[in-house]
Coordinates of all heavy atoms in Angstrom, one line a residue:
E426 N 2.8 4.1 -0.3 CA 4.0 3.4 -0.6 C 3.9 2.6 -1.9 O 4.5 1.5 -2.0 CB 4.4 2.5 0.5 CG 3.4 1.4 0.9 CD 2.3 1.8 1.9 OE1 2.0 3.0 2.0 OE2 1.8 0.9 2.6
H449 N 9.3 7.5 5.5 CA 8.2 6.6 5.8 C 7.8 5.7 4.6 O 7.7 4.5 4.7 CB 7.0 7.5 6.3 CG 5.7 6.7 6.6 ND1 5.3 6.5 7.9 CD2 4.9 6.0 5.8 CE1 4.2 5.7 7.9 NE2 3.9 5.4 6.6
E450 N 7.6 6.4 3.5 CA 7.1 5.6 2.3 C 8.2 4.7 1.8 O 7.9 3.6 1.3 CB 6.6 6.6 1.2 CG 5.5 7.6 1.7 CD 4.3 6.9 2.4 OE1 4.1 5.7 2.1 OE2 3.6 7.6 3.1
H453 N 8.4 1.5 3.7 CA 7.4 0.5 3.3 C 7.9 -0.3 2.2 O 7.3 -1.4 1.9 CB 6.2 1.3 2.8 CG 5.2 1.7 3.9 ND1 4.7 0.9 4.8 CD2 4.6 2.9 4.1 CE1 3.8 1.5 5.6 NE2 3.8 2.8 5.2
E472 N 2.6 -0.1 9.0 CA 2.7 1.3 9.5 C 3.5 1.5 10.7 O 4.1 2.5 10.9 CB 1.2 1.8 9.8 CG 0.3 1.7 8.5 CD 0.9 2.4 7.3 OE1 1.8 3.2 7.4 OE2 0.4 2.2 6.2
A475 N 7.1 1.6 9.4 CA 7.4 2.8 8.6 C 7.5 4.0 9.5 O 8.3 4.9 9.3 CB 6.3 3.0 7.5
Y527 N 0.0 3.8 14.0 CA 1.3 4.4 13.7 C 2.1 4.6 15.0 O 3.2 4.1 15.1 CB 1.2 5.7 12.9 CG 0.6 5.6 11.5 CD1 -0.8 5.3 11.3 CD2 1.4 5.7 10.4 CE1 -1.3 5.2 10.0 CE2 0.8 5.6 9.1 CZ -0.5 5.3 8.9 OH -1.0 5.2 7.7
Ligands
LIG258 ZN1 2.5 4.2 5.9

Side-chain angles (χ1 to χ4, degrees):
E426 62 268 26
H449 180 106
E450 304 308 337
H453 276 308
E472 302 306 344
Y527 294 71

